Amino acid sequence: MATFVMQSLGCEVAAINTVHFSNHTGYRQFKGRRIPAAEIKELYDGLRQSHLTDFDVLLSGYSPSAEAVEAVGTVARDLRYRSAVHPGGFFWVLDPVMGDQGRLYVAEDIVPAYRALIREADLILPNQFEAELLSGVSISSLSGVANAIRTLHAVHGTSHVVVTSVRVGAATDANANPSTLTVVGSTKKQDGQARLFKIEVPVLDCYFSGTGDMFAALMVARLREACAQANLLDRPSWMPDDDVEATELPLAKATEKVLSSMQTILEKTWTARDEEMKKFGTSPGASIGGVEGEGEGDTVGEGQRRFLAETKAAEVRVVRNARDLMLPEGRYKAQAMEV
Amino acid sequence: MATFVMQSLGCEVAAINTVHFSNHTGYRQFKGRRIPAAEIKELYDGLRQSHLTDFDVLLSGYSPSAEAVEAVGTVARDLRYRSAVHPGGFFWVLDPVMGDQGRLYVAEDIVPAYRALIREADLILPNQFEAELLSGVSISSLSGVANAIRTLHAVHGTSHVVVTSVRVGAATDANANPSTLTVVGSTKKQDGQARLFKIEVPVLDCYFSGTGDMFAALMVARLREACAQANLLDRPSWMPDDDVEATELPLAKATEKVLSSMQTILEKTWTARDEEMKKFGTSPGASIGGVEGEGEGDTVGEGQRRFLAETKAAEVRVVRNARDLMLPEGRYKAQAMEV
């Protein structure tokens, strides 16, 4: 997902895989191998020895162990060091993949490993749960999100933060709309103060896998584009001046485009999934009895077969809709957030 | 290379990597891992258990061991079996990567492993040397190429063959032009007779890595497209009628588009390489002292540094020229070959 999206937007990508799996884990069963931390380091050494490390941007995503997270940190540190004479010549987008909706899906020692690293990243992209884990601030309202971001700016020093897929319950927040997701971002000022913006997008009633990687990869290309237009690529962390308003931040402009592309492609996927699932006779919203484990395909029951078919039908249709990556419709505008 | 090219042309790709290397081997040094045959099988089992094996096409390329070649054969056989009720529902493009210009760059036991497999493939894409190895016919002229293809049709039963990058010396062939490469293809008739066509393309004086994968991946998309237009996708091996002339074969039409895209992108890469290498002061054609082994980047000499820079500068610029993959210019026309 991440490699194709960045390539579609013109980025030359050197991908170090952190897993080699038969399919994404949303199928609840897969075979294959997690890449050991030593192999990540070895591959980077290979790039170094042939002078292939002149990267403008590092995007790091899912890492299968705390050692792998640390290996990514070592890579990032070396890339930063090598670009030291060119401020802004290296930019690290870190997606701290740890869990979602209150559930950790990585080993527990990955959490402190990320906490130690995020001060070195230029942009971090936690979801709501990951923002809680990193900041220590619990989030049950938009002002909770704002406080988490302020903490990340102030305590960890992270220049740019986007908290993806914020869903705050109507029970705790009178302003919450259960049919929308909110994306909240900020680029700090010199003094560490936040400049908060938000974009609300309709929730699609469908589980898609890979949307975090899609968001991160689109962000790499769109943020660089926005910062190039604002002549910021020669500044450390591509920081805009303090007088740039929240909604005029390159980060806000980039997020608008990212979400426009994503929402268009996810809507098309959703429609196609429903079409595809008609052959199963009942509505795709019907409950699906997923079975954990690795049963042989031919002997599993109808519930499992349906679950697998539905998961396949919901694979994000990014290849056939690459145009929507390249030409976002401009559906969203960032709003300033005063909380 | 192969994954991106197929995705750019709208194919949804499930990639089973056969290596995980830091860089291509044209740099003469690399780090990383060859994927064991057991892992290839395991990943395919993973796809099976989640019902993710409804592939239209298998493209197989470099395999790092005879066991890996056999594992690919097992995968292909299973996919063929699963599509047995839909003739033409599965098509295998096999690129028998073994060596080039008289030099084998894989283990010797890979040669018989491929020889045993090619009868099961629908289209094979050997280069001149690989065509010799597979057919047992030595090639020093275009009629040698024709004989090799006739043998592959007759003895091995392969339906479609394209021999890529044929360079036959002027010493042995009065018609040979040293400044061109010839691509020779054929789709057999019912009785096994060949229908030979050729396309000549100018030789670019530059070593590019990945062009075999680029050719194969473009061919997957363009052959399927041409066979869809000719309503052949429901026939075994997408075979056209016997009265279709060599130059009107879907294989010939596909090869025309493939070579047009490739030549345009390689020319752009060549120009960009020369531009890039100007910073090294002398002409890029100057001799380059490549050093074997894995010396640490900072201690190697100027010759090695230049070689690495030149290799990097010649990386095929496929991502930024994806339009040329999608919209080939139509530079070449297949000619019938009477030999």
Side-chain angles (χ1 to χ4, degrees):
Chain A
M1 173 63 88
T3 299
F4 176 72
V5 168
M6 287 189 285
Q7 287 175 325
S8 291
L9 292 172
C11 307
E12 297 282 355
V13 178
I16 295 184
N17 298 320
T18 54
V19 298
H20 193 209
F21 285 170
S22 56
N23 49 268
H24 69 67
T25 57
Y27 288 89
R28 301 186 198 163
Q29 58 183 9
F30 57 91
K31 290 179 188 278
R33 174 174 178 265
R34 291 174 177 80
I35 307 298
E39 190 169 325
I40 294 171
K41 287 183 197 161
E42 189 193 2
L43 289 170
Y44 183 72
D45 284 347
L47 291 169
R48 269 189 67 163
Q49 80 175 351
S50 292
H51 310 298
L52 296 171
T53 55
D54 57 338
F55 300 107
D56 304 302
V57 176
L58 169 68
L59 169 58
S60 64
Y62 175 73
S63 298
S65 66
E67 294 71 33
V69 172
E70 283 153 18
V72 170
T74 305
V75 168
R77 218 162 288 131
D78 190 69
L79 290 171
R80 179 88 65 196
Y81 170 76
R82 281 160 188 271
S83 76
V85 291
H86 303 290
F90 174 69
F91 192 98
W92 180 12
V93 178
L94 186 159
D95 185 3
V97 181
M98 294 187 285
D100 201 5
Q101 298 186 23
R103 197 175 70 84
L104 203 64
Y105 44 59
V106 296
E108 278 187 27
D109 60 350
I110 282 186
V111 180
Y114 273 125
R115 263 199 220 116
L117 267 194
I118 52 169
R119 65 185 65 252
E120 298 184 47
D122 299 291
L123 164 61
I124 62 172
L125 303 172
N127 60 29
Q128 179 177 339
F129 177 57
E130 291 157 350
E132 289 181 320
L133 289 171
L134 293 174
S135 67
V137 174
S138 84
I139 299 175
S140 59
S141 64
L142 283 184
S143 65
V145 180
N147 286 334
I149 291 176
R150 287 189 189 107
T151 301
L152 291 165
H153 281 331
V155 177
H156 296 272
T158 318
S159 298
H160 310 271
V161 179
V162 179
V163 183
T164 60
S165 52
V166 173
R167 296 181 82 160
V168 283
T172 51
D173 187 342
N175 300 317
N177 178 346
S179 66
T180 62
L181 279 180
T182 310
V183 172
V184 182
S186 170
T187 295
K188 71 175 184 187
K189 294 188 183 177
Q190 296 289 335
D191 64 2
Q193 224 185 303
R195 279 177 276 196
L196 294 157
F197 64 87
K198 68 172 180 178
I199 299 179
E200 289 185 1
V201 297
V203 169
L204 303 178
D205 182 24
C206 178
Y207 178 75
F208 301 107
S209 189
T211 51
D213 289 336
M214 189 177 180
F215 185 93
L218 281 164
M219 184 57 85
V220 164
R222 294 302 178 194
L223 182 60
R224 193 173 155 84
E225 174 188 61
C227 290
Q229 278 162 11
N231 266 316
L232 301 172
L233 295 186
D234 56 358
R235 298 189 187 181
S237 293
W238 305 345
M239 288 294 284
D241 289 331
D242 274 4
D243 62 0
V244 177
E245 301 285 334
T247 56
E248 295 304 312
L249 289 170
L251 189 64
K253 299 287 168 204
T255 306
E256 290 169 356
K257 287 191 178 177
V258 168
L259 291 174
S260 291
S261 286
M262 280 189 70
Q263 200 70 7
T264 300
I265 291 176
L266 294 180
E267 283 170 5
K268 287 181 179 179
T269 301
W270 196 34
T271 305
R273 182 200 71 155
D274 285 359
E275 198 54 46
E276 181 71 21
M277 289 306 291
K278 277 185 187 155
K279 66 176 70 150
F280 271 77
T282 55
S283 87
S287 95
I288 43 175
V291 177
E292 296 280 342
E294 304 194 342
E296 180 56 34
D298 298 335
T299 61
V300 294
E302 183 55 27
Q304 168 74 341
R305 187 174 289 273
R306 188 190 170 78
F307 166 73
L308 294 172
E310 192 159 72
T311 305
K312 180 171 195 287
E315 290 270 9
V316 180
R317 299 191 166 222
V318 70
V319 163
R320 70 197 78 183
N321 297 306
R323 256 185 87 84
D324 296 313
L325 297 174
M326 293 178 239
L327 303 168
E329 279 175 58
R331 298 165 61 159
Y332 302 111
K333 279 279 165 216
Q335 300 169 269
M337 203 168 103
E338 319 273 330
V339 283
Chain B
M1 174 63 89
T3 300
F4 176 72
V5 168
M6 287 189 285
Q7 288 176 326
S8 291
L9 292 172
C11 308
E12 297 282 353
V13 178
I16 294 185
N17 299 319
T18 54
V19 297
H20 193 208
F21 284 171
S22 57
N23 49 268
H24 69 66
T25 57
Y27 287 90
R28 299 184 198 164
Q29 58 183 10
F30 57 91
K31 291 180 187 275
R33 177 176 176 261
R34 291 174 177 80
I35 307 297
E39 189 168 327
I40 294 171
K41 287 184 196 161
E42 189 194 1
L43 289 169
Y44 183 71
D45 284 347
L47 291 169
R48 270 189 67 162
Q49 77 173 355
S50 292
H51 311 299
L52 296 171
T53 55
D54 57 337
F55 299 107
D56 304 302
V57 177
L58 169 68
L59 169 60
S60 64
Y62 174 73
S63 299
S65 66
E67 293 71 32
V69 171
E70 283 152 19
V72 170
T74 306
V75 168
R77 218 163 286 130
D78 190 69
L79 290 171
R80 179 87 67 197
Y81 170 77
R82 282 162 186 269
S83 77
V85 291
H86 304 289
F90 174 69
F91 192 98
W92 180 12
V93 178
L94 187 159
D95 185 3
V97 180
M98 295 186 285
D100 202 8
Q101 300 186 22
R103 197 176 71 85
L104 202 63
Y105 43 60
V106 296
E108 278 187 26
D109 59 351
I110 282 186
V111 180
Y114 273 124
R115 263 198 218 116
L117 267 195
I118 53 169
R119 64 185 65 252
E120 298 183 48
D122 300 290
L123 164 62
I124 63 172
L125 303 173
N127 60 30
Q128 178 175 341
F129 177 58
E130 291 157 349
E132 288 182 319
L133 290 172
L134 293 175
S135 67
V137 175
S138 85
I139 299 174
S140 58
S141 64
L142 282 184
S143 65
V145 180
N147 287 334
I149 291 176
R150 288 188 189 106
T151 302
L152 291 165
H153 281 331
V155 178
H156 296 273
T158 317
S159 298
H160 309 273
V161 180
V162 179
V163 182
T164 59
S165 52
V166 173
R167 295 182 84 158
V168 283
T172 51
D173 187 343
N175 299 316
N177 178 345
S179 66
T180 61
L181 278 181
T182 310
V183 173
V184 182
S186 170
T187 295
K188 72 176 182 186
K189 294 188 183 177
Q190 297 289 334
D191 64 0
Q193 223 185 301
R195 280 176 276 195
L196 293 157
F197 64 86
K198 68 172 181 178
I199 299 179
E200 289 185 1
V201 296
V203 169
L204 302 178
D205 182 25
C206 178
Y207 177 75
F208 301 107
S209 188
T211 52
D213 289 337
M214 189 179 181
F215 186 92
L218 280 164
M219 184 56 87
V220 164
R222 293 302 177 196
L223 182 60
R224 193 174 155 83
E225 174 188 62
C227 290
Q229 278 163 10
N231 265 318
L232 301 171
L233 295 186
D234 56 357
R235 298 188 186 183
S237 292
W238 306 345
M239 287 294 283
D241 290 332
D242 273 4
D243 62 0
V244 177
E245 301 286 336
T247 56
E248 295 304 313
L249 291 169
L251 189 64
K253 299 288 169 203
T255 307
E256 290 170 356
K257 286 190 178 178
V258 168
L259 291 174
S260 291
S261 287
M262 279 189 70
Q263 200 70 7
T264 300
I265 290 176
L266 293 180
E267 283 170 4
K268 288 181 179 178
T269 301
W270 196 32
T271 304
R273 182 201 71 154
D274 286 358
E275 198 55 43
E276 181 71 21
M277 289 307 291
K278 276 184 187 159
K279 64 177 71 153
F280 272 77
T282 54
S283 87
S287 96
I288 44 174
V291 176
E292 297 279 343
E294 305 193 341
E296 181 54 37
D298 299 336
T299 60
V300 295
E302 184 56 27
Q304 167 75 341
R305 187 174 288 272
R306 187 188 170 81
F307 166 73
L308 294 172
E310 191 159 73
T311 304
K312 180 171 195 285
E315 290 269 10
V316 180
R317 300 192 165 221
V318 70
V319 163
R320 72 197 78 184
N321 297 306
R323 258 185 87 85
D324 296 313
L325 298 173
M326 295 181 236
L327 304 168
E329 279 176 57
R331 298 167 62 160
Y332 302 110
K333 279 277 164 221
Q335 299 170 268
M337 203 168 102
E338 319 271 332
V339 282

